Amino acid sequence: MDVIAAANARAAAIAPGEPGILRMEVGQPGTGAPRGAAEAAIRALRDGHPMGYTEAFGLRSLRERIAGRYAQHYGTTVPAERIAVTVGASGAFPLAFLAAFDTGDRVAMAAPYYPPYVNILTALGMVPQILPCDASTRFQPTVAMLEALDPRPTGLIVASPCNPAGTMLAPDELAAIARWCHANGVRLISDEIYHGLSYDVPEATAAAHSPSAIVVNSFSKYFSMTGWRIGWLVLPEDLVRPVERLAQNMFISAPHVAQVAAEAAFDCVDELEANRATYRRSRDLLLAGLPAAGFDRIAQADGAFYIWADIGHLTNDSPAFCARMLAEAGIAATPGVDFDSGRGARFLRFSYCGPEADMAEAPARLRRWLGT
């Protein structure tokens, strides 16, 4: 958020005709909701739909469409009764954590990690257990890491594709972790919000491999609906009623109009796939151009829209480095410190979900700035 504010201030101060700021710090699609989703919301409003509360788990028709995606995309049967529509993935995580864990429970995750995992767990009185990972495991956990934990954690969070590294667990790796967690009484929470945005590794869902896993997903990334605040959970049988009660008390329901739009988004595949193709091209431009600019220690960017770069050969202070890069090169990127409190000062994250032309320009600007 500090980088966004600094980039906004810098952009406002640019004189007409000067080069603009290349926005590579924000983790949201550069496109808006698909046209069909927006039109569905417009129709509902024009028809005078009252848009009142829905059931806590959301519109039945939307939950059935989500269930249909699991059948079509993964070949996995997920009953609509086990699907909870939530106020974005951000609303899904507190529900999942509160239902699955108690105060003092340890929940493991790989570093680097999405910062709200740690912050929400800590706020709820749970204990994040960080698994230091590196390029040798593609910044993902392994069963061997889990076997070495003594005592074993109560839960494990995995993300594939992950934010910030963009790496993925291969289907057999996710299946092995899911089976290990189920067999050892470790509650698996699988963050799958970047599904749909993968390029080299097939997508798999933990729901296909463990009856006790919780799956978190969202309409924010692939469906390009960040501000609509609409996500979902796939719940195991034993947590359906606890999560429903929590949702009733904490949120009542996700916004009705957003649910209407989300249901229509499933019919916008051509537009969504065109967005994905743009991200792939932008990723390829950066993977080809960044090494020549001095950023040659890059995580395997399998999915999402991020590149996680080790800049330890350039600096051990990524916040200061990113501030200089914004001021001197006009490129906004996110320091790694929030994603890894231990080693994040030597990493930064580039996001490539902005305009494709900006992503093409970024390596040349960086080469000029660093003199490479």
Side-chain angles (χ1 to χ4, degrees):
M1 295 297 105
D2 290 343
V3 176
I4 293 172
N8 288 342
R10 174 77 174 160
I14 292 176
E18 291 184 0
I21 302 298
L22 303 185
R23 306 299 294 258
M24 303 179 72
E25 84 282 16
V26 181
Q28 70 170 345
T31 54
R35 189 65 228 165
E39 289 173 350
I42 291 168
R43 284 195 302 272
L45 292 169
R46 284 178 173 168
D47 291 346
H49 197 296
M51 297 295 173
Y53 299 139
T54 69
E55 294 181 21
F57 273 10
L59 296 171
R60 177 73 190 194
S61 56
L62 174 56
R63 295 162 68 196
E64 288 174 347
R65 290 300 299 266
I66 295 170
R69 179 167 175 82
Y70 282 87
Q72 180 179 14
H73 193 66
Y74 307 103
T76 299
T77 299
V78 175
E81 289 76 16
R82 287 174 44 208
I83 294 170
V85 177
T86 60
V87 184
S90 298
F93 286 118
L95 293 173
F97 295 165
L98 284 167
F101 309 126
D102 292 320
T103 299
D105 282 351
R106 289 175 301 108
V107 182
M109 69 196 73
Y113 45 78
Y114 178 52
Y117 299 157
V118 166
N119 296 334
I120 296 171
L121 286 168
T122 301
L124 296 176
M126 297 146 197
V127 182
Q129 184 172 3
I130 307 304
L131 306 174
C133 296
D134 56 28
S136 67
T137 66
R138 302 186 318 284
F139 300 96
Q140 293 283 358
T142 66
V143 170
M145 286 182 200
L146 301 174
E147 286 281 5
L149 296 177
D150 185 20
R152 287 177 176 159
T154 306
L156 171 70
I157 302 173
V158 298
S160 176
C162 74
N163 176 11
T167 59
M168 294 178 67
L169 291 162
D172 61 335
E173 294 171 325
L174 178 62
I177 288 173
R179 288 194 293 264
W180 184 91
C181 286
H182 184 68
N184 287 277
V186 176
R187 182 75 73 173
L188 175 63
I189 297 181
S190 181
D191 181 347
E192 300 175 6
I193 71 170
Y194 290 97
H195 276 209
L197 299 178
S198 60
Y199 314 108
D200 301 317
V201 178
E203 294 174 351
T205 178
H209 302 293
S210 169
S212 60
I214 301 170
V215 172
V216 181
N217 210 320
S218 170
F219 286 89
S220 289
K221 309 303 181 177
Y222 174 70
F223 293 95
S224 196
M225 296 177 65
T226 51
W228 296 78
R229 308 315 301 133
I230 190 82
W232 75 84
L233 288 164
V234 177
L235 296 165
E237 293 284 358
D238 64 311
L239 294 184
V240 170
R241 187 57 177 154
V243 169
E244 186 176 29
R245 289 172 174 171
L246 284 166
Q248 288 167 342
N249 284 277
M250 294 176 69
F251 306 112
I252 301 180
S253 67
H256 194 141
V257 68
Q259 296 187 52
V260 171
E263 186 174 340
F266 283 112
D267 298 322
C268 301
V269 174
D270 289 346
E271 183 178 345
L272 299 171
E273 285 298 301
N275 293 343
R276 186 170 79 97
T278 299
Y279 300 146
R280 178 191 280 273
R281 290 193 299 270
S282 293
R283 181 199 71 151
D284 293 347
L285 287 167
L286 292 172
L287 291 180
L290 286 176
F295 298 85
D296 57 355
R297 305 176 188 181
I298 294 172
Q300 189 171 320
D302 303 314
F305 31 59
Y306 305 118
I307 289 178
W308 183 241
D310 183 343
I311 55 171
H313 58 301
L314 300 172
T315 184
N316 284 312
D317 187 350
S318 60
F321 184 88
C322 287
R324 284 182 48 226
M325 186 165 61
L326 175 60
E328 299 170 11
I331 296 177
T334 304
V337 289
D338 284 341
F339 302 104
D340 184 344
S341 60
R343 298 168 300 165
R346 57 175 291 168
F347 287 86
L348 63 76
R349 187 193 75 178
F350 290 111
S351 174
Y352 52 86
C353 53
E356 189 175 348
D358 287 0
M359 303 306 108
E361 183 183 348
R365 277 203 199 183
L366 290 169
R367 286 197 302 271
R368 291 194 297 270
W369 180 52
L370 294 173
T372 55

